[in-house]
Amino acid sequence: MAEENENRKVKDSVFVDLFGRDIKYRENFISLYNALRGTNLKPDETDLVPEMLENVIYMAYANDVAMQVNGKLVVLIEHQSTVNHNMPLRLLEYVTRIYEKIVPANKKFYRGLVKIPMPEFYVLYNGTDIYPAESEMRLSDAFEYPDEKKPESFPLELIVKVYNINLDKGGELLGKCETLMQYSKFIEIVRKSIKEKIENPLTRAVKEAISHGILTDYLERKSTEVINMLTMEYDYAADIAAQKEESLEEGKILGLEQGIRNLILNMKLTPAQAMEALGIPPEERSLYLSQLNSH
């Protein structure tokens, strides 16, 4: 498992490792799924098949866990940054990629109906924005109506259940899944350590969590890996925030659009990946792409 992770182009977040790749991921994932669905599945009696994809939701590290659970396709996204209301669209792209992977191309041309796993989508919000304990996002919320009349039904829909898993908001869900509760406590310790600007904050956070009996087994086994994963996550978030601020300042001087174009060009990502990471709305991306191509 360690060698496999080292060879991955996109590094896992702690959330993905804990619920999708660690040696105890089966029991952790099933516990979380039971909490979300109100089921009572047993890890050793459940057909669980990992279906994670690389380089789809975020570019520097993975924050997605996708599993087939007894024939259903369950996609979990941990979301730590500013609330993103384009999650249904992003998850539509994501699930399409999974279906492309699990359904052989030739089967799509069979005369008989090809069965595919029914999907379920969950976003676990762990950011610092004010956000309700539970809500839904729908793909149809993004649809435009040329005749200015909202239809009663839609030919395409995707519903995402969003849960706030911060300690002060996610009480009901956290109370149903001890591993998720401990994970949320750990993230709170990490943020507190970083905010206090103490020396080696991530190492201190891991030690503090262990001393309080939080994710003890996991952190004792993988403390170095966890610190590396956290470093990737928080460095990436800080880098994106700093570059956004820089683009705004540059935009004041050169014009906002030119400042953003320069930022996209200077990031170590493809233009499409850079715009995704910067949260540029999908409807604005073609404009920037055309301007970049003209340069």
Side-chain angles (χ1 to χ4, degrees):
M1 182 66 70
E3 182 178 350
E4 177 185 339
N5 285 343
E6 285 301 317
N7 291 330
R8 285 168 54 80
K9 293 180 182 179
V10 179
K11 299 302 182 182
D12 293 326
S13 65
V14 176
F15 177 84
V16 170
D17 188 61
L18 187 62
F19 290 99
R21 300 193 192 277
D22 184 59
I23 58 173
K24 293 187 176 181
Y25 84 86
R26 289 183 63 88
E27 58 190 79
N28 292 339
F29 183 91
I30 294 298
S31 173
L32 176 52
Y33 185 71
N34 284 337
L36 290 166
R37 293 288 294 166
T39 52
N40 192 31
L41 301 179
K42 303 293 191 295
D44 56 348
E45 299 174 1
T46 302
D47 185 15
L48 201 62
V49 182
E51 297 288 3
M52 278 84 84
L53 298 175
E54 291 188 13
N55 208 26
V56 176
I57 298 294
Y58 288 117
M59 304 306 145
Y61 67 94
N63 68 336
D64 57 291
V65 177
M67 298 276 180
Q68 285 199 55
V69 183
N70 289 342
K72 291 182 179 180
L73 179 57
V74 179
V75 182
L76 298 173
I77 305 296
E78 186 204 26
H79 187 36
Q80 284 199 15
S81 60
T82 301
V83 176
N84 189 309
H85 295 282
N86 295 312
M87 277 297 181
L89 179 59
R90 296 164 73 171
L91 283 166
L92 176 63
E93 296 174 348
Y94 187 91
V95 76
T96 300
R97 289 275 300 274
I98 292 181
Y99 284 143
E100 288 177 349
K101 183 180 75 166
I102 65 181
V103 179
N106 62 320
K107 278 194 173 184
K108 300 171 188 176
F109 299 96
Y110 287 7
R111 294 180 63 184
L113 182 65
V114 177
K115 297 288 189 176
I116 58 176
M118 183 181 74
E120 297 176 6
F121 303 99
Y122 303 95
V123 168
L124 304 181
Y125 183 67
N126 204 17
T128 56
D129 285 358
I130 297 175
Y131 201 73
E134 183 177 343
S135 64
E136 279 187 354
M137 293 183 182
R138 292 175 176 262
L139 183 64
S140 60
D141 292 338
F143 294 162
E144 295 181 339
Y145 313 114
D147 57 1
E148 298 184 359
K149 182 179 179 181
K150 184 175 181 178
E152 294 183 1
S153 61
F154 304 93
L156 178 65
E157 184 63 285
L158 188 151
I159 302 172
V160 185
K161 296 287 289 185
V162 185
Y163 293 91
N164 191 326
I165 61 170
N166 284 286
L167 292 177
D168 62 340
K169 289 288 186 179
E172 184 175 351
L173 180 63
L174 298 180
K176 296 177 181 178
C177 180
E178 180 60 26
T179 303
L180 187 64
M181 171 72 84
Q182 292 193 28
Y183 173 73
S184 293
K185 288 180 178 179
F186 175 57
I187 293 302
E188 187 171 86
I189 292 173
V190 170
R191 287 179 177 155
K192 180 173 175 285
S193 296
I194 292 174
K195 188 175 182 180
E196 291 177 350
K197 297 182 179 180
I198 60 178
E199 187 177 359
N200 300 319
L202 301 180
T203 301
R204 294 276 294 275
V206 168
K207 290 180 178 179
E208 181 178 341
I210 292 174
S211 70
H212 286 85
I214 297 171
L215 296 179
T216 305
D217 172 72
Y218 176 72
L219 294 176
E220 286 181 341
R221 285 189 289 107
K222 307 183 79 168
S223 60
T224 301
E225 293 173 66
V226 167
I227 291 169
N228 288 338
M229 287 185 283
L230 288 171
T231 300
M232 171 70 74
E233 291 183 58
Y234 285 93
D235 281 358
Y236 178 71
D239 185 51
I240 292 298
Q243 292 190 64
K244 280 184 177 180
E245 182 66 27
E246 182 179 340
S247 71
L248 291 174
E249 289 300 319
E250 185 176 6
K252 292 176 183 178
I253 302 172
L254 301 176
L256 184 59
E257 287 188 3
Q258 184 175 345
I260 293 176
R261 287 200 303 271
N262 290 348
L263 174 62
I264 292 170
L265 288 170
N266 291 330
M267 294 179 73
K268 296 179 181 179
L269 300 170
T270 67
Q273 291 171 341
M275 288 187 286
E276 178 78 10
L278 290 168
I280 294 174
E283 63 271 17
E284 296 180 14
R285 296 179 189 179
S286 59
L287 171 64
Y288 286 111
L289 280 175
S290 63
Q291 292 176 347
L292 289 168
N293 290 335
S294 67
H295 284 70

